[in-house]
Amino acid sequence: SVVFNWWYYNNGARIAVSGMGLSCPDCNDDATHGLGNELGANTRAGEGTDFWWHDAAPLQEPCFAETCKALGSDHGWKMGGIPSYGSWA
């Protein structure tokens, strides 16, 4: 299933896939990735961060903040990106 506006602890994802495992509301594990992610922000209140946001993320092993990877170059300044091939809108 596809989920929208999934928040957990101080993180959130605008769009994620539940079959890949969703973090529990009290889990600070940075493990739910999808489209429109914020890590380390009060996402329940609609807040964001300059450090650990990204528009898209690949499926990846467990990570935490700086060790998480974003697709392409559209991400917060503390995150690393990996090349993306093709495009999405």
Coordinates of all heavy atoms in Angstrom, one line a residue:
S1 N 0.8 -1.2 0.0 CA 0.0 0.0 0.0 C 0.9 1.2 0.0 O 2.0 1.2 0.5 CB -0.9 0.0 1.2 OG -1.7 -1.1 1.3
V2 N 0.3 2.3 -0.5 CA 1.0 3.6 -0.5 C 0.4 4.4 0.6 O -0.8 4.4 0.9 CB 0.8 4.3 -1.8 CG1 1.4 5.7 -1.8 CG2 1.3 3.5 -3.0
V3 N 1.3 5.0 1.4 CA 0.9 5.9 2.5 C 1.3 7.3 2.3 O 2.3 7.5 1.6 CB 1.4 5.4 3.9 CG1 0.9 4.0 4.2 CG2 2.9 5.4 3.9
F4 N 0.6 8.2 2.8 CA 0.8 9.7 2.6 C 1.0 10.3 4.0 O 0.4 10.0 4.9 CB -0.3 10.3 1.9 CG -0.5 9.8 0.5 CD1 -1.4 8.8 0.3 CD2 0.2 10.4 -0.6 CE1 -1.6 8.3 -1.0 CE2 0.0 9.9 -1.9 CZ -0.9 8.8 -2.1
N5 N 2.0 11.3 4.0 CA 2.3 12.1 5.2 C 2.5 11.2 6.5 O 1.9 11.3 7.5 CB 1.1 13.1 5.5 CG 1.0 14.0 4.4 OD1 2.0 14.5 3.8 ND2 -0.2 14.3 4.0
W6 N 3.4 10.2 6.3 CA 3.8 9.3 7.4 C 4.8 10.0 8.3 O 5.9 10.3 7.9 CB 4.4 8.0 6.8 CG 4.6 7.0 7.9 CD1 5.7 6.7 8.5 CD2 3.6 6.1 8.4 NE1 5.5 5.7 9.4 CE2 4.2 5.3 9.3 CE3 2.2 5.9 8.1 CZ2 3.6 4.3 10.0 CZ3 1.6 4.9 8.8 CH2 2.2 4.1 9.8
W7 N 4.5 10.3 9.5 CA 5.4 10.9 10.5 C 5.8 9.8 11.5 O 5.0 9.0 11.9 CB 4.9 12.2 11.1 CG 3.6 12.1 11.9 CD1 2.4 12.4 11.4 CD2 3.4 11.5 13.2 NE1 1.5 12.2 12.3 CE2 2.0 11.6 13.4 CE3 4.3 11.0 14.1 CZ2 1.5 11.2 14.6 CZ3 3.7 10.6 15.3 CH2 2.3 10.7 15.6
Y8 N 7.0 9.9 12.0 CA 7.5 9.0 13.0 C 8.6 9.7 13.8 O 9.5 10.3 13.2 CB 8.0 7.7 12.5 CG 9.1 7.7 11.4 CD1 10.4 7.4 11.8 CD2 8.8 8.1 10.1 CE1 11.4 7.5 10.8 CE2 9.8 8.2 9.2 CZ 11.1 7.8 9.5 OH 12.1 7.9 8.6
Y9 N 8.5 9.8 15.1 CA 9.4 10.5 16.0 C 9.6 11.9 15.5 O 8.7 12.7 15.4 CB 10.7 9.7 16.2 CG 11.4 10.1 17.4 CD1 10.9 9.8 18.7 CD2 12.6 10.8 17.4 CE1 11.6 10.2 19.8 CE2 13.3 11.2 18.5 CZ 12.8 10.9 19.7 OH 13.4 11.3 20.9
N10 N 10.9 12.2 15.0 CA 11.1 13.6 14.5 C 11.4 13.5 13.0 O 12.3 14.2 12.5 CB 12.2 14.3 15.3 CG 13.6 13.6 15.1 OD1 13.6 12.4 14.7 ND2 14.6 14.2 15.5
N11 N 10.7 12.6 12.3 CA 11.0 12.4 10.9 C 9.6 12.3 10.1 O 8.6 12.1 10.8 CB 11.7 11.1 10.7 CG 13.0 11.0 11.5 OD1 13.9 11.8 11.4 ND2 13.0 10.0 12.5
G12 N 9.7 12.3 8.8 CA 8.4 12.1 8.1 C 8.7 11.9 6.6 O 9.8 12.2 6.1
A13 N 7.7 11.3 5.9 CA 7.8 11.0 4.5 C 6.4 11.4 3.9 O 5.4 11.1 4.4 CB 8.1 9.6 4.2
R14 N 6.5 12.2 2.8 CA 5.2 12.6 2.2 C 4.5 11.4 1.5 O 3.3 11.2 1.6 CB 5.5 13.6 1.1 CG 5.8 15.0 1.6 CD 4.6 15.7 2.1 NE 5.0 17.0 2.6 CZ 4.2 17.7 3.4 NH1 3.1 17.2 3.8 NH2 4.6 18.9 3.8
I15 N 5.3 10.6 0.9 CA 4.8 9.4 0.2 C 5.8 8.2 0.5 O 7.0 8.3 0.2 CB 4.6 9.6 -1.3 CG1 3.7 10.8 -1.6 CG2 4.1 8.3 -2.0 CD1 3.7 11.2 -3.1
A16 N 5.2 7.1 0.9 CA 6.1 5.9 1.2 C 5.3 4.7 0.9 O 4.0 4.7 0.7 CB 6.5 5.9 2.6
V17 N 5.9 3.5 0.8 CA 5.3 2.3 0.5 C 5.3 1.4 1.8 O 6.4 1.1 2.3 CB 6.0 1.5 -0.7 CG1 5.4 0.2 -1.0 CG2 6.0 2.4 -1.9
S18 N 4.2 1.0 2.2 CA 4.1 0.3 3.5 C 4.8 -1.1 3.4 O 5.2 -1.6 4.4 CB 2.6 0.1 3.9 OG 1.9 -0.7 3.0
G19 N 4.8 -1.7 2.2 CA 5.4 -3.0 2.1 C 6.9 -3.0 2.4 O 7.5 -4.1 2.5
M20 N 7.5 -1.9 2.4 CA 9.0 -1.8 2.6 C 9.3 -1.6 4.1 O 10.4 -1.5 4.5 CB 9.6 -0.6 1.8 CG 9.4 -0.8 0.3 SD 9.9 -2.4 -0.3 CE 11.6 -2.4 0.2
G21 N 8.2 -1.6 4.9 CA 8.4 -1.4 6.4 C 8.3 0.1 6.8 O 9.0 0.9 6.2
L22 N 7.3 0.4 7.6 CA 7.2 1.7 8.1 C 7.6 1.8 9.5 O 7.3 0.9 10.4 CB 5.7 2.1 8.0 CG 5.1 2.2 6.6 CD1 3.6 2.4 6.7 CD2 5.8 3.2 5.8
S23 N 8.3 2.9 9.9 CA 8.8 3.1 11.2 C 7.6 3.4 12.1 O 6.6 4.0 11.7 CB 9.7 4.3 11.3 OG 10.8 4.0 10.5
C24 N 7.6 2.9 13.4 CA 6.6 3.2 14.3 C 6.6 4.6 14.7 O 7.6 5.3 14.6 CB 6.7 2.3 15.5 SG 8.1 2.6 16.6
P25 N 5.5 5.2 15.2 CA 5.5 6.6 15.6 C 6.5 7.1 16.6 O 7.0 8.2 16.5 CB 4.0 6.8 16.1 CG 3.2 5.8 15.4 CD 4.2 4.6 15.3
D26 N 6.9 6.2 17.5 CA 7.9 6.5 18.5 C 9.3 6.0 18.2 O 10.2 6.1 19.0 CB 7.5 6.0 19.8 CG 6.2 6.7 20.3 OD1 6.0 7.9 20.1 OD2 5.4 6.0 20.9
C27 N 9.6 5.6 16.9 CA 10.9 5.0 16.5 C 11.7 6.1 15.9 O 11.3 6.7 14.9 CB 10.7 3.9 15.6 SG 9.9 2.4 16.3
N28 N 12.9 6.4 16.4 CA 13.8 7.4 15.8 C 14.8 6.6 15.0 O 16.0 6.6 15.4 CB 14.4 8.3 16.9 CG 15.2 9.4 16.3 OD1 15.0 9.7 15.1 ND2 16.1 10.0 17.0
D29 N 14.4 6.0 13.9 CA 15.3 5.1 13.2 C 15.7 5.6 11.8 O 16.4 4.9 11.1 CB 14.8 3.7 13.2 CG 13.5 3.6 12.5 OD1 12.9 4.6 12.0 OD2 12.9 2.5 12.6
D30 N 15.1 6.7 11.3 CA 15.3 7.2 10.0 C 15.2 6.1 8.9 O 15.9 6.1 7.9 CB 16.7 7.8 9.9 CG 16.9 9.0 10.7 OD1 15.9 9.5 11.3 OD2 18.1 9.5 10.9
A31 N 14.3 5.1 9.1 CA 14.2 4.0 8.2 C 13.1 4.0 7.2 O 13.1 3.2 6.3 CB 14.0 2.7 9.1
T32 N 12.2 5.0 7.3 CA 11.1 5.0 6.3 C 11.5 6.1 5.2 O 11.7 7.2 5.5 CB 9.8 5.4 6.9 OG1 9.4 4.4 7.9 CG2 8.7 5.5 5.9
H33 N 11.7 5.6 4.0 CA 12.1 6.4 2.9 C 11.1 6.4 1.8 O 10.4 5.5 1.6 CB 13.5 6.0 2.4 CG 14.6 6.1 3.4 ND1 15.2 7.2 3.7 CD2 15.1 5.1 4.2 CE1 16.1 7.0 4.6 NE2 16.1 5.7 4.9
G34 N 11.1 7.5 1.0 CA 10.1 7.5 -0.1 C 10.3 8.8 -0.8 O 11.5 9.2 -1.2
L35 N 9.3 9.6 -1.1 CA 9.3 10.9 -1.7 C 9.0 11.9 -0.7 O 8.0 11.8 0.0 CB 8.3 10.9 -2.9 CG 8.5 9.9 -4.0 CD1 7.4 10.0 -5.0 CD2 9.9 10.1 -4.6
G36 N 9.8 13.0 -0.6 CA 9.5 14.1 0.3 C 9.8 13.7 1.7 O 8.9 13.8 2.5
N37 N 11.1 13.4 2.0 CA 11.5 13.1 3.4 C 12.1 14.2 4.2 O 12.8 15.1 3.6 CB 12.5 11.9 3.4 CG 11.9 10.6 2.9 OD1 11.7 10.4 1.7 ND2 11.6 9.8 3.9
E38 N 11.8 14.2 5.5 CA 12.5 15.1 6.4 C 13.0 14.2 7.6 O 12.2 13.4 8.1 CB 11.5 16.1 7.0 CG 11.0 17.2 6.0 CD 12.0 18.3 5.9 OE1 13.0 18.4 6.6 OE2 11.7 19.1 5.0
L39 N 14.2 14.4 7.9 CA 14.8 13.7 9.1 C 15.2 14.7 10.1 O 15.8 15.7 9.7 CB 15.9 12.8 8.6 CG 15.7 11.8 7.5 CD1 17.0 11.1 7.1 CD2 14.6 10.8 7.9
G40 N 15.0 14.5 11.3 CA 15.4 15.4 12.4 C 14.7 16.7 12.4 O 15.2 17.8 12.6
A41 N 13.3 16.7 12.2 CA 12.5 17.9 12.2 C 11.2 17.5 12.8 O 10.7 16.4 12.9 CB 12.3 18.4 10.8
N42 N 10.5 18.5 13.4 CA 9.2 18.3 14.0 C 8.1 18.2 12.9 O 7.4 19.2 12.6 CB 8.9 19.4 15.0 CG 7.6 19.2 15.7 OD1 6.9 18.1 15.6 ND2 7.2 20.1 16.5
T43 N 8.1 17.1 12.2 CA 7.2 17.0 11.0 C 5.7 17.0 11.4 O 4.9 17.4 10.6 CB 7.6 15.8 10.2 OG1 7.5 14.6 11.0 CG2 9.0 15.9 9.6
R44 N 5.4 16.6 12.6 CA 4.0 16.6 13.0 C 3.5 18.0 13.0 O 2.3 18.2 12.8 CB 3.9 16.0 14.4 CG 4.2 14.6 14.5 CD 4.0 14.0 15.9 NE 5.0 13.1 16.2 CZ 5.0 12.3 17.3 NH1 4.1 12.4 18.2 NH2 6.0 11.4 17.4
A45 N 4.3 19.0 13.3 CA 3.9 20.4 13.3 C 4.2 21.1 12.0 O 4.0 22.3 11.9 CB 4.6 21.1 14.4
G46 N 4.6 20.3 10.9 CA 4.8 20.9 9.6 C 6.1 21.5 9.5 O 6.4 22.2 8.5
E47 N 7.1 21.3 10.4 CA 8.4 21.9 10.3 C 9.3 21.1 9.5 O 9.1 19.9 9.3 CB 8.9 22.2 11.8 CG 8.1 23.1 12.6 CD 8.6 23.3 14.0 OE1 9.6 22.7 14.3 OE2 7.8 23.9 14.8
G48 N 10.4 21.7 9.1 CA 11.4 21.0 8.3 C 12.8 21.3 8.8 O 13.0 21.9 9.8
T49 N 13.8 20.9 8.0 CA 15.2 21.1 8.4 C 16.0 21.4 7.2 O 15.6 21.0 6.1 CB 15.8 19.9 9.1 OG1 17.2 20.1 9.4 CG2 15.6 18.6 8.3
D50 N 17.1 22.2 7.3 CA 18.0 22.4 6.2 C 19.0 21.3 6.1 O 19.7 21.2 5.0 CB 18.8 23.7 6.4 CG 17.9 24.9 6.4 OD1 16.8 24.9 5.7 OD2 18.2 26.0 7.0
F51 N 19.1 20.4 7.1 CA 20.2 19.4 7.1 C 19.9 18.1 6.4 O 20.6 17.7 5.6 CB 20.6 19.1 8.5 CG 20.9 20.3 9.4 CD1 20.3 20.5 10.6 CD2 21.9 21.1 9.0 CE1 20.7 21.6 11.3 CE2 22.3 22.2 9.7 CZ 21.7 22.5 10.9
W52 N 18.7 17.5 6.8 CA 18.5 16.1 6.4 C 17.1 16.0 5.7 O 16.3 15.1 6.0 CB 18.5 15.2 7.6 CG 19.8 15.3 8.3 CD1 21.0 14.8 7.9 CD2 20.0 15.8 9.6 NE1 22.0 15.1 8.8 CE2 21.4 15.6 9.9 CE3 19.2 16.3 10.6 CZ2 21.9 16.0 11.1 CZ3 19.8 16.7 11.8 CH2 21.1 16.6 12.1
W53 N 16.9 16.7 4.6 CA 15.7 16.5 3.8 C 16.1 16.0 2.5 O 17.3 16.2 2.0 CB 14.9 17.8 3.7 CG 15.7 18.9 2.9 CD1 16.5 19.8 3.5 CD2 15.8 19.1 1.5 NE1 17.1 20.6 2.5 CE2 16.6 20.2 1.3 CE3 15.2 18.5 0.4 CZ2 16.9 20.6 0.0 CZ3 15.4 18.9 -0.8 CH2 16.3 20.0 -1.0
H54 N 15.2 15.3 1.8 CA 15.5 14.9 0.4 C 14.2 14.7 -0.3 O 13.2 14.3 0.3 CB 16.4 13.7 0.3 CG 16.0 12.5 1.2 ND1 16.2 12.5 2.5 CD2 15.5 11.3 0.8 CE1 15.7 11.3 3.0 NE2 15.3 10.6 2.0
D55 N 14.2 14.9 -1.6 CA 13.0 14.7 -2.4 C 12.7 13.3 -2.7 O 11.6 12.9 -2.8 CB 13.0 15.6 -3.7 CG 12.8 17.0 -3.4 OD1 12.3 17.4 -2.3 OD2 13.0 17.8 -4.3
A56 N 13.8 12.5 -2.9 CA 13.6 11.1 -3.3 C 14.7 10.3 -2.7 O 15.9 10.8 -2.6 CB 13.6 10.9 -4.8
A57 N 14.4 9.1 -2.3 CA 15.5 8.2 -1.7 C 15.4 6.8 -2.3 O 14.2 6.3 -2.6 CB 15.3 8.1 -0.2
P58 N 16.5 6.2 -2.5 CA 16.4 4.8 -2.9 C 16.1 3.8 -1.8 O 16.2 4.2 -0.6 CB 17.9 4.5 -3.4 CG 18.7 5.4 -2.5 CD 17.8 6.6 -2.2
L59 N 15.7 2.6 -2.1 CA 15.6 1.6 -1.1 C 17.0 1.3 -0.6 O 17.9 1.2 -1.4 CB 15.0 0.3 -1.6 CG 13.5 0.5 -2.2 CD1 13.1 -0.8 -2.8 CD2 12.6 1.0 -1.1
Q60 N 17.2 1.3 0.7 CA 18.5 1.2 1.3 C 18.5 0.5 2.6 O 17.5 0.4 3.3 CB 19.2 2.6 1.4 CG 18.4 3.6 2.2 CD 18.9 5.0 2.1 OE1 20.0 5.3 2.4 NE2 18.1 5.8 1.5
E61 N 19.7 0.1 3.0 CA 19.9 -0.6 4.3 C 19.6 0.5 5.4 O 19.6 1.7 5.1 CB 21.3 -1.1 4.4 CG 21.6 -2.2 3.5 CD 20.8 -3.5 3.7 OE1 20.5 -3.8 4.9 OE2 20.3 -4.1 2.7
P62 N 19.4 0.0 6.7 CA 19.2 1.0 7.7 C 20.3 2.0 7.8 O 21.5 1.7 7.6 CB 19.2 0.1 9.0 CG 18.8 -1.2 8.5 CD 19.3 -1.3 7.1
C63 N 19.9 3.3 8.0 CA 20.8 4.4 8.0 C 20.4 5.4 9.1 O 19.3 5.2 9.7 CB 20.9 5.1 6.7 SG 19.3 5.7 6.1
F64 N 21.2 6.4 9.4 CA 20.9 7.4 10.3 C 21.5 8.7 9.9 O 22.7 8.8 9.7 CB 21.4 7.0 11.7 CG 20.9 7.9 12.8 CD1 19.6 7.7 13.3 CD2 21.6 8.9 13.4 CE1 19.1 8.5 14.3 CE2 21.1 9.7 14.3 CZ 19.8 9.5 14.8
A65 N 20.6 9.7 9.6 CA 21.0 11.0 9.3 C 22.0 11.1 8.1 O 21.6 10.8 7.0 CB 21.5 11.8 10.5
E66 N 23.3 11.4 8.4 CA 24.3 11.6 7.3 C 24.6 10.3 6.5 O 25.0 10.4 5.4 CB 25.6 12.2 7.8 CG 25.5 13.6 8.2 CD 25.2 13.8 9.7 OE1 24.9 12.8 10.4 OE2 25.1 14.9 10.1
T67 N 24.3 9.2 7.1 CA 24.6 7.9 6.4 C 23.5 7.6 5.4 O 23.6 6.7 4.5 CB 24.8 6.7 7.3 OG1 23.6 6.5 8.0 CG2 26.0 7.1 8.3
C68 N 22.3 8.2 5.5 CA 21.2 8.0 4.5 C 21.5 8.6 3.2 O 22.2 9.7 3.1 CB 19.9 8.5 5.1 SG 19.3 7.8 6.6
K69 N 21.1 8.0 2.1 CA 21.4 8.5 0.8 C 20.2 9.0 0.1 O 19.1 8.5 0.3 CB 22.0 7.5 -0.1 CG 23.4 6.9 0.4 CD 24.4 8.0 0.4 CE 25.7 7.5 1.0 NZ 26.6 8.5 1.4
A70 N 20.3 10.1 -0.7 CA 19.2 10.7 -1.5 C 19.5 10.4 -2.9 O 20.7 10.2 -3.3 CB 19.1 12.2 -1.2
L71 N 18.5 10.4 -3.7 CA 18.7 10.2 -5.2 C 18.9 11.6 -5.8 O 18.1 12.6 -5.5 CB 17.4 9.6 -5.8 CG 17.2 8.1 -5.7 CD1 15.9 7.7 -6.3 CD2 18.4 7.4 -6.4
G72 N 19.9 11.8 -6.5 CA 20.2 13.0 -7.2 C 20.8 14.1 -6.2 O 21.3 13.7 -5.2
S73 N 20.7 15.3 -6.6 CA 21.3 16.4 -5.9 C 20.3 17.3 -5.1 O 20.7 18.3 -4.5 CB 22.1 17.3 -6.8 OG 21.3 17.8 -7.8
D74 N 19.1 16.9 -5.1 CA 18.1 17.7 -4.4 C 17.9 17.2 -3.0 O 17.0 16.3 -2.7 CB 16.7 17.7 -5.2 CG 15.9 18.9 -4.9 OD1 16.3 19.8 -4.1 OD2 14.7 18.9 -5.4
H75 N 18.7 17.7 -2.1 CA 18.7 17.2 -0.7 C 19.4 18.2 0.2 O 20.0 19.1 -0.2 CB 19.4 15.8 -0.6 CG 20.8 15.8 -1.1 ND1 21.9 16.4 -0.4 CD2 21.3 15.4 -2.3 CE1 23.0 16.2 -1.1 NE2 22.7 15.6 -2.2
G76 N 19.2 18.0 1.5 CA 19.8 18.9 2.5 C 21.3 18.8 2.5 O 21.9 17.8 2.0
W77 N 22.0 19.8 3.0 CA 23.4 20.0 2.9 C 24.2 18.9 3.7 O 25.4 18.7 3.4 CB 23.9 21.4 3.2 CG 23.7 21.8 4.6 CD1 22.7 22.4 5.2 CD2 24.8 21.8 5.6 NE1 22.9 22.7 6.5 CE2 24.2 22.3 6.8 CE3 26.1 21.4 5.6 CZ2 24.9 22.4 7.9 CZ3 26.8 21.5 6.8 CH2 26.2 22.0 7.9
K78 N 23.6 18.2 4.6 CA 24.4 17.2 5.4 C 24.2 15.8 4.8 O 24.8 14.9 5.3 CB 24.0 17.2 6.8 CG 24.5 18.4 7.6 CD 24.4 18.1 9.1 CE 25.2 19.1 9.9 NZ 25.3 18.8 11.3
M79 N 23.4 15.7 3.7 CA 23.1 14.4 3.2 C 23.9 14.2 1.9 O 24.1 15.2 1.1 CB 21.6 14.2 2.8 CG 20.8 14.2 4.0 SD 19.1 13.6 3.6 CE 19.4 11.9 3.5
G80 N 24.3 13.0 1.6 CA 25.0 12.7 0.4 C 24.0 12.2 -0.7 O 22.9 11.6 -0.3
G81 N 24.3 12.4 -1.9 CA 23.4 12.0 -3.0 C 24.0 10.9 -3.8 O 25.3 10.8 -3.9
I82 N 23.3 10.1 -4.5 CA 23.8 9.1 -5.4 C 23.2 9.5 -6.8 O 22.1 10.1 -6.8 CB 23.4 7.7 -5.0 CG1 22.0 7.4 -4.9 CG2 24.2 7.3 -3.7 CD1 21.6 6.0 -4.7
P83 N 23.8 9.2 -7.9 CA 23.3 9.6 -9.2 C 21.9 9.0 -9.4 O 21.6 7.9 -9.0 CB 24.3 8.9 -10.2 CG 25.5 8.7 -9.4 CD 25.1 8.4 -8.0
S84 N 21.1 9.7 -10.1 CA 19.8 9.2 -10.5 C 19.7 9.2 -12.0 O 20.3 10.2 -12.6 CB 18.7 10.1 -9.9 OG 18.7 11.4 -10.4
Y85 N 19.2 8.2 -12.5 CA 19.1 8.1 -14.0 C 17.6 8.2 -14.4 O 16.8 7.5 -13.8 CB 19.7 6.8 -14.4 CG 21.2 6.7 -14.0 CD1 21.6 6.0 -12.9 CD2 22.2 7.4 -14.7 CE1 22.9 5.9 -12.5 CE2 23.5 7.3 -14.3 CZ 23.8 6.6 -13.2 OH 25.1 6.6 -12.8
G86 N 17.3 9.0 -15.3 CA 15.9 9.3 -15.7 C 15.4 10.4 -14.9 O 16.2 11.2 -14.3
S87 N 14.1 10.6 -14.9 CA 13.6 11.8 -14.2 C 12.2 11.4 -13.6 O 11.6 10.4 -14.0 CB 13.5 13.0 -15.1 OG 12.6 12.7 -16.2
W88 N 11.7 12.2 -12.7 CA 10.4 12.0 -12.2 C 9.8 13.4 -12.0 O 10.5 14.4 -11.9 CB 10.4 11.2 -10.9 CG 11.2 11.8 -9.8 CD1 10.9 12.7 -8.9 CD2 12.6 11.5 -9.6 NE1 11.9 13.0 -8.1 CE2 13.0 12.3 -8.5 CE3 13.6 10.7 -10.1 CZ2 14.3 12.3 -7.9 CZ3 14.8 10.7 -9.6 CH2 15.2 11.5 -8.5
A89 N 8.5 13.5 -11.8 CA 7.9 14.8 -11.6 C 6.8 14.7 -10.6 O 6.3 13.7 -10.3 CB 7.3 15.3 -12.9

